């Protein structure tokens, strides 16, 4: 029977490196390219496959918009802004070092691109976001190295830690006959919930010192939401356009933004849940 090697198990049972996670409370996530990198590191080149089972256009619409200045006043000619939504279903399969299949997992996600001036870019961004999010959700079945612990209130600590199917390979004289302690785990925290999408997403960078409070939460929560939004923008290479789009969507500059608006913006850019 094909199985995992000792080095593979050692990596899979280790906690995720904090450097691979955006360290923002309630908004922890990992990059899709990093998930692929870790798949290669654990299973090798050609040691995994990704199959797109479905990729459907859910919605698209356009509207005429004008850019707005820092005071929220429109200026310049109007342009056609496209909003596109895709739904993706993906299957991730991993293989043993001898080439035999170890397992496969299916999952899906929705991705969108809001208020894009280019029709092609809107479709490209939305479908890539959906595919990336679906892959990340599939990969969580492989444990902490692929983001499973992040669903435990953003924890970077190992939550799997051991597997009865893969007991430690130790000398018989030092192997305990007692089973693993099933009561040793800390209390389980609820999975983070997805913010309800607003209508667009992109914002300028400011700091909590410039905006110490907001109607939607305290300063710490606002700072975390702001940082999470910026991380999402960088993930989809959209940071340069954030300030203008945020103002177009919410009617005011980022410096006046609220925790809820930052969360809504991030949800649209990443297509929903933390992963």
């Amino acid at each position: 029977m094909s199985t995992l090697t000792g080095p593979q198990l050692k990596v899979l049972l280790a906690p995720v490196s904090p450097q691979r996670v955006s360290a923002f409370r309630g908004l922890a996530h990992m990059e899709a390219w990093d998930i692929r990198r870790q798949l290669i590191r654990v299973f090798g080149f050609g040691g995994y496959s990704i199959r797109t089972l479905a990729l459907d256009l859910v919605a698209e619409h356009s509207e005429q918009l004008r850019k707005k200045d820092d005071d929220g006043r429109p200026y310049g000619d109007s342009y056609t802004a496209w909003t596109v939504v895709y739904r993706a279903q993906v299957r991730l399969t991993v293989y043993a070092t001898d080439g035999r299949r170890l397992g496969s997992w299916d999952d899906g996600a929705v991705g969108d691109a809001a208020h894009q001036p280019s029709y092609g870019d809107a479709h490209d961004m939305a479908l890539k976001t959906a595919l990336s999010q679906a892959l990340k959700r599939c990969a969580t079945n492989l444990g902490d190295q692929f983001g499973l612990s992040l669903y435990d209130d953003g924890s970077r600590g190992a939550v799997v830690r051991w597997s009865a199917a893969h007991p430690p390979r130790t000398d018989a004289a030092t192997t305990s006959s007692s089973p693993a302690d099933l009561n040793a785990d800390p209390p389980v925290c609820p999975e983070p919930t997805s913010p309800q999408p607003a209508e667009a997403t992109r914002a300028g960078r400011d700091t909590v010192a410039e905006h110490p409070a907001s109607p939607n939460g305290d300063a710490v929560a606002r700072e975390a939401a702001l940082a999470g939004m910026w991380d999402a923008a960088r993930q989809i290479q959209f940071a340069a356009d954030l300030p203008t789009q945020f103002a177009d969507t919410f009617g005011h500059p980022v410096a006046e933004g609220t925790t809820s608006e930052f969360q809504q913006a991030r949800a649209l850019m990443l297509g929903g849940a933390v992963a």
Side-chain angles (χ1 to χ4, degrees):
M1 176 181 178
S2 299
T3 187
L4 296 166
T5 66
Q8 286 177 317
L9 283 171
K10 183 177 180 180
V11 173
L12 290 173
L13 292 174
V16 65
S17 169
Q19 296 181 0
R20 297 178 54 217
V21 182
S22 295
F24 303 115
R25 185 185 65 186
L27 297 172
H29 73 278
M30 301 174 71
E31 306 287 354
W33 71 265
D34 179 59
I35 295 297
R36 292 174 182 267
R37 174 176 66 175
Q38 203 71 354
L39 285 167
I40 294 172
R41 286 176 169 175
V42 175
F43 300 101
F45 296 102
Y48 73 95
S49 64
I50 302 168
R51 180 181 177 187
T52 301
L53 303 178
L55 183 61
D56 304 310
L57 177 63
V58 176
E60 69 170 41
H61 73 268
S62 63
E63 56 186 309
Q64 294 298 307
L65 297 178
R66 294 175 63 193
K67 294 182 178 180
K68 295 183 179 180
D69 60 24
D70 290 341
D71 295 322
R73 294 173 299 199
Y75 70 91
D77 296 332
S78 63
Y79 66 95
T80 302
W82 292 93
T83 295
V84 176
V85 182
Y86 274 89
R87 178 177 55 242
Q89 188 81 11
V90 167
R91 173 174 297 157
L92 171 64
T93 303
V94 298
Y95 303 92
T97 53
D98 62 9
R100 286 184 284 179
R101 176 180 170 276
L102 284 174
S104 62
W105 302 271
D106 298 358
D107 215 321
V110 173
D112 61 5
H115 292 183
Q116 295 295 306
S118 167
Y119 179 77
D121 287 347
H123 277 265
D124 184 62
M125 184 182 301
L127 69 87
K128 287 193 296 188
T129 299
L131 289 168
S132 293
Q133 291 298 104
L135 170 61
K136 290 196 289 184
R137 291 175 179 175
C138 288
T140 59
N141 290 282
L142 292 166
D144 299 323
Q145 288 298 310
F146 299 91
L148 180 63
S149 68
L150 303 185
Y151 286 91
D152 187 24
D153 198 28
S155 172
R156 275 66 162 171
V159 297
V160 178
R161 300 192 298 121
W162 58 271
S163 171
H166 303 283
R169 298 175 180 177
T170 58
D171 185 89
T174 61
T175 302
S176 171
S177 60
S178 61
D181 184 358
L182 300 181
N183 295 317
D185 295 327
V188 173
C189 296
E191 294 185 9
T193 57
S194 302
Q196 293 299 314
E199 193 180 346
T201 85
R202 316 168 202 170
R205 180 181 295 276
D206 67 347
T207 67
V208 70
E210 296 169 344
H211 194 122
S214 110
N216 296 67
D218 61 20
V220 174
R222 182 178 183 275
E223 183 179 29
L226 176 63
M229 180 178 66
W230 271 101
D231 252 30
R234 286 191 293 270
Q235 178 177 340
I236 63 173
Q237 299 180 348
F238 197 54
D241 295 324
L242 274 169
T244 298
Q245 188 60 59
F246 189 94
D248 286 346
T249 302
F250 297 107
H252 52 73
V254 176
E256 300 174 9
T258 65
T259 302
S260 176
E261 290 169 347
F262 297 152
Q263 291 172 338
Q264 291 168 354
R266 179 182 180 276
L268 281 171
M269 284 187 281
L270 295 182
V274 170

